[in-house]
């Protein structure tokens, strides 16, 4: 049972690994670990009531027959277990025992000792802030603690294995170095110490290029340094290395290549000659002065070029005239210095730059700039067609050129060393004048461009066209230089003015039948008007006539009379309507319009014509002709006593009156339509036909037409009689023995007709089906042929007797439509 308990404790200890304390479930007695080394484990526990001593047993878990038994008095509440095996797990049992030797409580814990103490093989410094340590590995150690101690201060570092480095140290300082191994149980005791000293710190360099072939190096003193070593070499590896050893804190390297990048390395050594940390710095020598400088002046700017300089990053060009200094910076081998002052002398130099500094400037080159633009320019027209241009002289100006360009694109120039030029000019032109000064550097900049406008020319190609008797439209060809035209028309004491920018003007409110003097003057804003333009004489058109009377001489003839005070005028009277235009002409005061169409409305006006033009038309006077008679008129007899009369429309007619007249009486109809019914017509009678067309204003036209004869009267006493052999006889009483009649029988089994010989009043139908109802009509035959449909209809039933016609029975009159 005790063996099983031990195995259980071992299993729990392996699972919990570094568990420091386990409490007794029954008594509450506990033990804790407060320190562990390679060969010792220090325990502590609280005082247990009634205990007079304590017994502690430590048994190595994985080592055969290695255990330790220690007794402690009740005064001792903590105690070390020593002489243990490094890197070994122990099962520790603590018991509280009373004075009778009875165990009051017990508890167990599992605890491992630390690994064995490492041994330092060597410790050395390669950098001024660190020492590297080498040692042999210790079994069971998972890491190591390196300690560097300088007096009371120390620096610790945890590393995994050898070698290990302690960082953050002071340069040129002696340290005591120890090492401890570590596992999950704790740390071993420190190893025997080794002394090691950190190397010197690196000198911090300040480097500059004093000239294009030298580099100066300086630094601050380094603690414990006995001397310094400084080396210099081209960064591209070309050439040889230069090395200098010195006890000073500065030196200068000379005879170097201009504009070249050099790598500089420096370190200090101590009294034993051991070198410290090194410091590396890259420095470029300043560039060489640019060579082959060339300058050129172009359009007010200075272009400077030179040969590229080795190692130069940028260049600066300086142009100074004593009062003003201009600069241009560039990375290329040329530069453009703008905004040079005209009529000045500049001194130009070029300086090369890189990150090391600047070269010496080149020797200054002198340049005289172009002359300034001439000023105080004046333009005068001392006489017509002659311009004089003058100006003030310009510094550095050797000669002058004056350009005169007209607005039509033509340009002339004058080349002179004086300050005045002469030019020819034309009317109506604007001249643009510019003056340039010249020297060896070139042409002066463009100064003010002056314009001079000569007086405009007089208008030409003058034309006057009269719009009416009091309005004339004047046109002319446009002339150069004219901004505005004034047209002036004068007659007797009246003057009419018209101003316009267009080459045309309309003069209105002129007196008709009057001569005028018309003058057109051209104006320009720059030079005013041209007063030398000649007038043109024109006469206005005749005055408008006034129509006094219009009289009708016949149906289609109209006489027109007017009043006017024109001299030598011809008058034209016009009647205007939808039907067209009709004219008459006269030099007097009246004329006659003929062949006017009927039923038309006209507007009659008159105009006067003369060589000067045509007057406005007179006020119009309305004229209406009588309405037209209808061309077509048709009469149709509707019943024996009613006739329908219809006609085509008569132009201009609003209403109509139709009349049928005979010795037996008269029938009349007044209507707005083009047809009407006339009653009380006597059959078999001849009538005269007349029609009156009436206009809206009451004008009438009487129309006569061919006579009309009403149809013969319908017969009376129509009867049917049965004949032998299925025949029927129709009998009637004739109204006139000279009239021929026609008989129609219509039934469901067939239609039958018969026409008797002239003078007879009956006719026979030989074969007719019996057993049917027949409608019988007997009507006179008209001369034109069509049957009359308004005669009365009678209904008869024809019965059968066997297969033959039986009785004929009268059934009355039919109200159906006419057959």
């Amino acid at each position: 049972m005790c063996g099983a308990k031990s195995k259980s404790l071992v299993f729990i200890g392996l699972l919990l690994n570094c568990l420091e304390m386990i409490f007794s479930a029954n008594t509450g007695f506990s033990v804790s670990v407060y320190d562990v080394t390679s060969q010792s484990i220090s325990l502590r526990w609280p005082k247990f009531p009634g205990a007079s001593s304590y017994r502690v047993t430590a048994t190595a878990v994985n080592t055969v027959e290695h255990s330790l038994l220690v007794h402690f008095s009740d005064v001792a509440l903590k105690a070390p277990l020593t002489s243990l095996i490094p890197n070994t797990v122990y099962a520790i049992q603590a018991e509280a025992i009373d004075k009778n030797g009875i165990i009051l409580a017990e508890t167990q814990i599992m605890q491992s000792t630390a690994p064995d103490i490492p041994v330092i093989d060597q410790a050395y410094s390669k950098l001024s802030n660190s020492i590297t340590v080498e040692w042999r590995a210790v079994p069971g150690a998972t890491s190591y603690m390196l300690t560097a101690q300088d007096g009371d201060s120390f620096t610790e570092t945890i590393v995994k294995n050898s070698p290990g480095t302690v960082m953050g140290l002071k340069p040129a300082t002696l340290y005591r170095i120890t090492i401890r191994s570590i596992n999950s149980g704790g740390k071993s005791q420190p190893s025997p110490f080794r002394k090691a000293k950190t190397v010197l710190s690196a000198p911090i360099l300040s480097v500059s290029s004093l000239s294009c072939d030298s580099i100066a190096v300086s630094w601050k003193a380094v603690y414990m340094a006995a001397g310094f070593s400084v080396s210099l070499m081209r960064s591209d590896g070309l050439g040889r290395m230069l090395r200098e050893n010195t006890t000073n804190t500065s030196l200068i390297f000379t005879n170097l290549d201009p504009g070249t990048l050099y790598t500089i390395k420096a370190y200090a050594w101590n009294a034993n000659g051991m070198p410290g940390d090194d410091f590396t710095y890259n420095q470029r020598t300043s560039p060489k002065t640019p060579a082959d400088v060339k300058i050129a002046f172009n359009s007010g700017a200075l272009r400077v070029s030179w040969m590229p300089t080795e190692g130069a990053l940028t260049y600066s060009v300086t142009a100074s005239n004593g009062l003003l200094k201009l600069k241009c910076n560039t990375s290329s081998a040329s530069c453009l210095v703008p905004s040079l002052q005209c009529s000045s002398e500049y001194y130009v130099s070029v300086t090369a730059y890189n990150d090391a500094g600047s070269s010496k400037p080149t020797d200054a080159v002198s340049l005289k700039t172009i002359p300034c633009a001439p000023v105080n320019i004046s333009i005068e027209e001392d006489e017509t067609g002659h311009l004089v241009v003058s100006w003030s002289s310009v510094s550095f100006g050797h000669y002058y050129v004056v350009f005169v360009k007209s607005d039509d694109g033509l340009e002339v120039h004058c080349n002179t060393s004086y300050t005045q030029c002469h030019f020819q000019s034309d009317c109506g032109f604007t001249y643009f004048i510019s003056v340039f000064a010249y020297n060896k550097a070139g042409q002066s900049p463009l100064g003010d461009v002056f314009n001079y406008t000569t007086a405009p020319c007089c208008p030409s190609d003058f034309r006057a066209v009269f719009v009416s008797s009091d309005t004339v439209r004047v046109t002319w060809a446009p002339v150069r230089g004219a901004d505005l035209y004034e047209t002036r028309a004068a007659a007797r004491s009246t003057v009419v003015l018209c101003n316009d920018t267009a080459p045309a003007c309309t003069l209105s409110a002129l007196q008709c039948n009057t001569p005028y003097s018309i003058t057109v003057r051209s104006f320009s804003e720059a030079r005013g008007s041209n007063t030398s333009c000649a007038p043109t004489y024109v006469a206005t058109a005749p005055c408008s006539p006034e129509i006094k009377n219009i009289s009708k001489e016949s149906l289609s003839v109209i006489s027109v009379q007017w009043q006017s005070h024109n001299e030598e005028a011809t008058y034209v009277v016009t009647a205007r309507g939808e039907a067209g235009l009709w004219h008459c002409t006269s030099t007097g005061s009246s004329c006659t319009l003929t062949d006017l169409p009927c039923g038309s409305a006209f507007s009659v006006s008159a105009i006067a014509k003369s060589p000067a033009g045509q007057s406005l038309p007179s006020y119009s006077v309305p004229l209406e002709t009588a309405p037209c008679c209808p061309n077509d008129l048709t009469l149709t007899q509707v019943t024996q006593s009613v006739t329908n009369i219809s006609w085509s429309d008569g132009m201009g007619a609003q209403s109509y009156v139709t009349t049928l007249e005979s010795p037996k009486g008269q029938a009349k109809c007044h209507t707005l339509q083009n047809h009407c019914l006339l009653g009380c017509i006597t059959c078999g009678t001849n009538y005269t036909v007349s029609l009156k067309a009436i206009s809206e204003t009451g004008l009438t036209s009487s129309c006569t037409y061919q006579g009309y004869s009403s149809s013969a009267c319908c017969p009376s006493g129509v009867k049917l009689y049965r004949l032998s052999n299925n025949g029927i006889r129709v009998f009637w009483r004739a109204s006139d023995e000279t009239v021929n009649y026609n008989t129609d029988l219509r039934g469901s089994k067939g239609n039958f007709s018969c026409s008797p010989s002239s003078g007879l009043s009956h006719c026979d139908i030989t074969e007719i089906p019996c057993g049917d109802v027949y409608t019988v009509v007997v009507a006179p035959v008209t001369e034109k042929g069509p049957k009359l449909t308004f005669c009365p209809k009678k209904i008869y039933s024809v019965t059968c007797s066997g297969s033959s016609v039986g009785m004929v029975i009268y059934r009355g009159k039919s109200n159906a439509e006419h057959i």
Side-chain angles (χ1 to χ4, degrees), residues 543-551 558-566 571-576 582 584 588-591 593 602-608 615-623:
C543 299
S544 299
E546 180 183 0
I547 296 176
K548 291 297 185 179
N549 184 42
I550 295 179
S551 59
I558 301 296
S559 177
V560 182
Q561 295 178 342
W562 58 86
Q563 181 181 0
S564 181
H565 302 287
N566 295 313
Y571 299 91
V572 177
V573 177
T574 301
R576 185 185 307 273
W582 277 260
C584 66
S589 59
S590 66
C591 70
L593 294 169
F602 295 94
S603 176
V604 181
S605 62
I607 61 171
S615 72
L616 292 173
S618 67
Y619 294 116
S620 297
V621 177
L623 171 65

Side-chain angles (χ1 to χ4, degrees), residues 64-85:
V64 179
E65 296 181 356
H66 187 279
S67 63
L68 177 67
L69 178 62
V70 183
H71 286 270
F72 300 96
S73 67
D74 62 342
V75 178
L77 299 179
K78 60 182 180 179
L81 300 177
T82 59
S83 302
L84 303 180
I85 302 171

Side-chain angles (χ1 to χ4, degrees), residues 637-642 711-714 780 788-793 818:
Q637 193 158 349
V638 179
T639 66
Q640 191 165 277
S641 63
V642 176
S711 64
C713 298
C714 293
L788 298 179
T789 59
F790 49 78
C791 289
K793 304 175 184 64
H818 304 307

Side-chain angles (χ1 to χ4, degrees), residues 125-131 165-172 198-201 277:
S125 173
K126 290 186 177 181
L127 298 175
S128 61
N129 66 343
S130 67
I131 292 176
T165 301
V166 183
M167 304 295 293
L169 305 182
K170 295 181 290 185
T198 53
V199 298
L200 302 181
S201 62
D277 290 349

Side-chain angles (χ1 to χ4, degrees), residues 41 50 220 283 323 501 518 546 573 582 671 768 777 787 804:
I41 297 174
K220 292 182 179 180
Q283 175 66 44
L323 298 177
T501 56
I518 300 178
E546 180 183 0
V573 177
W582 277 260
T671 180
I768 189 170
V777 177
K787 299 177 182 179
S804 300

